[in-house]
Amino acid sequence: MGTGPWLHKNSKLSSPKQPTTCSTKFPKEIKQYPMESVMNNGWLTLPTFQNPSQDSAIRQFCPAHVEQEQGEECGEMLLDENIEIWPHFINEQPQLAPSEAEDFVDSFFNVECAVKSSEGGENEAFDHFQEDGIQDLSIMIDDVYYDPTVIEGDELEGCNGVENVITIGVDQGLQLVHLLLACAEAVGCRDARLASSILTEIWPCVSPWGDSLQRVSHCFAMGLESRLTLLQNVNPNGSFSNRAVDVSLISREEKNEAFNLLHQTTPYIAFGFMAANDAICQAASGKDNLHIIDLGMEHNLQWPSLVRTLASRIEGPPKIVKITGIIGDQDPLELENSTKGLCGEAISLGISLEFRFVPEQVTTLSLTREKLDLREKETLFVNSIMHLHTHVKESRGSLKTILQSVKKLNPALLTVVEQDANHNGPFFLGRFLESLHYYSAFFDSLDASLPRNSPERIKIEKFHLAEEIINVVAYEGSDRIERHERADQWRRQLGRAGFHVVGLKCLNKAKLMLSGYGCDGYTVASEKGCLQLGWKGRPIMLASAWQVHNVPSSS
């Protein structure tokens, strides 16, 4: 990707180079930026920071304040009102106060991050994340940096041979975070020359082979570079001309492999499957004819566990289980082949298992009884694993109509698993800060689970996480599909659509599952009927189950 490929060509991290000439002066807001970078005769210079205390508690940073200064209710309006808004490109001014930026940077270097409940116990473990908007983070700079030397041949295999290691201090990490924030502010001001100049300072400091901060910063630098490219093709109304977006060079096979690896090596995906399956099994108690509609189905990973759990019911297994996947542009033959083994296993367990695939996008037209072949006496379930957020748009319509269509089907249960993050703020800078916090925690958890030279880790970060980050940071309009929301926002939207939450009862199962991963950093809590999986207290995934208001609870 131009000056910022996945494997960057700079061979080592050094102290800042000779200042880079930049004819564009800092805007007033960036001159006040706490990084205290100054432009002396057109030269960009970087400060030297004292090492912060590693024992002090994380300071509180609230990116919601950024959006409050520009309209407190704007984020919610985007989901509820019939408006079109493009503040990302039209007269957006950076609103990051110096004290907030310092708190944000300080949070990267303090390690006391586990969330402790005061009086409410585990049920309120994440309340302050949702109600106060506090964005704690469990990231600190590691002291080892892998030399990102250009490797010939297959880079995923070549990473095993990376051995040049140098020790860096916290100062360079502080400078890196400050540079990312300064670049994001410049991008928000549409100052392409300044942003490009700052990017030239960022690239030598990041690496897809280094510690967790260097790796996540590499992804965000790519996102910023992509956004700069897109800014050159923005129409007066804020839309991109001629769909001027980068075409992903990552194949579907690579994306699927990365997702499978994430499922195998971390609890994030398995947690969602476990919670959804447990809710389905409880609601299906005593039912013999089950029909599950899977929204945006891309794989068969969720269903083996469900089939085995249903087969072990005290009252005996259900006679018929039908799973209908709305698969978009996935290959139905490939999905069908992946289910043959499970269908054979189900027969041996006394269950007639049938898969059916609808090769359409999830729309109101595909969510009809006729299209889904719904039949009398079937107990219907609708399952959404990290899919509904793709229907959140900047104008009224998509999500609301999808939820209304699901309600019309009158399912016994709707299961929803989503990333628990606010990546859909209306203003670029607030979204950038929130996503940097979230994905830094995600990368930190990978650092605790997989070696830095692990090919599996490289694939997860390159083919899955980097793609998400670039979409969140660089894209707008219909091209931005990674529009993750917080738990409270999902509660509001589902409540307004006519659903009420069904409390999940698998907290102990989730804890037992997490104990098998050998990492102390994973945390799980029950909050207002939903389950939240986090890393050192930072919410990462949300699992929930919902019923239509007129359907009596099964509990």
Side-chain angles (χ1 to χ4, degrees):
M1 299 184 62
T3 59
W6 180 257
L7 181 60
H8 199 263
K9 294 183 179 180
N10 294 285
S11 60
K12 65 177 65 178
L13 175 65
S14 59
S15 58
K17 302 181 293 185
Q18 290 297 320
T20 301
T21 301
C22 177
S23 60
T24 303
K25 301 294 183 180
F26 275 106
K28 178 180 178 181
E29 293 83 354
I30 294 183
K31 286 181 180 179
Q32 296 173 346
Y33 200 78
M35 104 183 233
E36 298 178 2
S37 297
V38 294
M39 294 294 293
N40 294 323
N41 299 322
W43 295 90
L44 172 66
T45 60
L46 301 176
T48 299
F49 296 91
Q50 298 297 322
N51 288 1
S53 169
Q54 299 291 349
D55 297 324
S56 61
I58 289 180
R59 295 183 184 181
Q60 299 174 353
F61 173 75
C62 182
H65 179 67
V66 179
E67 296 174 11
Q68 287 174 359
E69 294 186 355
Q70 306 177 64
E72 292 188 1
E73 301 298 326
C74 191
E76 185 171 336
M77 286 171 56
L78 292 180
L79 289 178
D80 300 332
E81 302 297 332
N82 187 18
I83 58 175
E84 290 287 350
I85 182 169
W86 297 90
H88 324 277
F89 298 117
I90 301 177
N91 298 324
E92 178 177 351
Q93 295 296 324
Q95 298 290 327
L96 185 61
S99 61
E100 290 177 331
E102 282 295 348
D103 288 347
F104 177 82
V105 173
D106 186 57
S107 71
F108 275 84
F109 301 92
N110 291 280
V111 297
E112 187 177 320
C113 54
V115 178
K116 298 178 181 178
S117 56
S118 54
E119 298 179 357
E122 283 185 286
N123 290 340
E124 298 180 4
F126 288 131
D127 278 355
H128 72 284
F129 284 107
Q130 307 298 339
E131 296 173 5
D132 300 331
I134 297 169
Q135 305 302 315
D136 289 313
L137 182 65
S138 59
I139 299 297
M140 62 179 254
I141 297 295
D142 295 338
D143 59 356
V144 176
Y145 175 81
Y146 282 98
D147 182 351
T149 307
V150 175
I151 299 173
E152 300 295 334
D154 186 347
E155 63 183 42
L156 296 177
E157 297 178 359
C159 68
N160 291 315
V162 178
E163 297 178 353
N164 296 327
V165 179
I166 63 174
T167 300
I168 67 171
V170 175
D171 288 350
Q172 289 90 340
L174 274 168
Q175 290 174 353
L176 173 56
V177 176
H178 277 305
L179 284 169
L180 286 170
L181 298 182
C183 187
E185 285 202 285
V187 169
C189 291
R190 298 190 65 182
D191 192 335
R193 296 183 67 180
L194 176 58
S196 296
S197 177
I198 298 174
L199 268 176
T200 64
E201 300 292 333
I202 291 176
W203 286 121
C205 305
V206 300
S207 166
W209 318 106
D211 61 41
S212 59
L213 178 60
Q214 292 162 342
R215 295 163 93 113
V216 73
S217 297
H218 184 271
C219 296
F220 276 88
M222 290 194 299
L224 288 169
E225 184 177 63
S226 294
R227 190 173 181 89
L228 281 177
T229 301
L230 299 176
L231 282 173
Q232 309 305 315
N233 299 277
V234 178
N235 295 320
N237 67 350
S239 63
F240 293 132
S241 60
N242 300 321
R243 287 184 55 85
V245 296
D246 292 340
V247 177
S248 175
L249 299 178
I250 298 176
S251 67
R252 176 172 293 160
E253 291 72 19
E254 289 171 326
K255 291 181 181 180
N256 289 340
E257 181 184 9
F259 188 87
N260 289 339
L261 289 171
L262 184 65
H263 175 237
Q264 294 168 12
T265 58
T266 73
Y268 297 122
I269 307 302
F271 161 80
F273 291 163
M274 181 275 298
N277 287 346
D278 187 81
I280 291 172
C281 287
Q282 291 199 36
S285 178
K287 310 295 184 181
D288 280 334
N289 192 347
L290 314 182
H291 190 168
I292 302 169
I293 308 299
D294 192 17
L295 304 183
M297 182 176 179
E298 296 181 354
H299 48 73
N300 185 38
L301 298 174
Q302 180 177 353
W303 310 122
S305 175
L306 175 67
V307 169
R308 293 161 193 160
T309 303
L310 289 172
S312 64
R313 293 194 316 188
I314 295 177
E315 69 271 28
K319 296 177 180 179
I320 300 173
V321 175
K322 183 166 65 174
I323 299 175
T324 297
I326 305 179
I327 63 174
D329 57 359
Q330 299 286 321
D331 183 357
L333 291 178
E334 181 178 337
L335 284 171
E336 183 178 356
N337 290 333
S338 72
T339 64
K340 290 181 178 179
L342 180 58
C343 290
E345 179 182 354
I347 292 175
S348 68
L349 296 173
I351 299 175
S352 174
L353 178 63
E354 174 189 346
F355 281 91
R356 180 173 175 270
F357 303 108
V358 179
E360 298 180 11
Q361 301 298 326
V362 177
T363 65
T364 55
L365 296 178
S366 59
L367 290 173
T368 64
R369 300 189 68 85
E370 295 74 23
K371 184 75 69 172
L372 299 172
D373 191 28
L374 303 187
R375 301 175 183 178
E376 296 295 330
K377 299 183 180 180
E378 288 181 339
T379 303
L380 180 65
F381 302 88
V382 177
N383 181 69
S384 174
I385 305 295
M386 295 184 292
H387 177 78
L388 281 180
H389 73 266
T390 65
H391 295 280
V392 177
K393 304 297 181 184
E394 290 178 313
S395 61
R396 170 189 255 174
S398 188
L399 178 62
K400 183 177 181 179
T401 57
I402 292 299
L403 292 177
Q404 289 175 338
S405 297
V406 170
K407 183 183 177 183
K408 289 179 181 178
L409 298 177
N410 199 25
L413 199 71
L414 165 65
T415 50
V416 177
V417 175
E418 286 289 345
Q419 296 93 327
D420 191 357
N422 180 19
H423 295 161
N424 195 40
F427 298 100
F428 169 70
L429 184 57
R431 190 167 78 239
F432 182 89
L433 294 170
E434 177 72 18
S435 58
L436 183 57
H437 260 306
Y438 176 88
Y439 285 105
S440 293
F442 207 125
F443 273 66
D444 190 44
S445 70
L446 292 180
D447 204 50
S449 304
L450 296 168
R452 292 179 184 173
N453 62 349
S454 163
E456 292 79 12
R457 180 177 174 185
I458 293 292
K459 290 178 179 179
I460 291 171
E461 293 173 346
K462 178 178 180 180
F463 299 144
H464 182 75
L465 295 176
E467 284 282 283
E468 283 192 1
I469 291 170
I470 291 171
N471 190 267
V472 170
V473 172
Y475 290 46
E476 295 299 343
S478 61
D479 295 305
R480 180 156 61 87
I481 60 174
E482 301 298 344
R483 296 173 176 268
H484 311 137
E485 296 283 358
R486 287 271 187 209
D488 279 352
Q489 185 63 271
W490 284 113
R491 273 189 283 270
R492 282 192 289 270
Q493 295 304 312
L494 285 157
R496 290 167 183 167
F499 293 88
H500 70 269
V501 70
V502 177
L504 295 179
K505 303 176 182 179
C506 54
L507 178 61
N508 290 333
K509 290 182 181 179
K511 290 180 177 179
L512 182 62
M513 181 191 74
L514 293 181
S515 66
Y517 285 86
C519 289
D520 295 331
Y522 294 116
T523 54
V524 63
S526 177
E527 198 265 337
K528 298 180 181 179
C530 305
L531 285 188
Q532 290 171 301
L533 172 63
W535 174 252
K536 296 181 179 177
R538 169 78 190 191
I540 301 293
M541 298 296 297
L542 165 74
S544 58
W546 306 81
Q547 286 181 338
V548 178
H549 279 313
N550 59 8
V551 176
S553 173
S554 61
S555 60

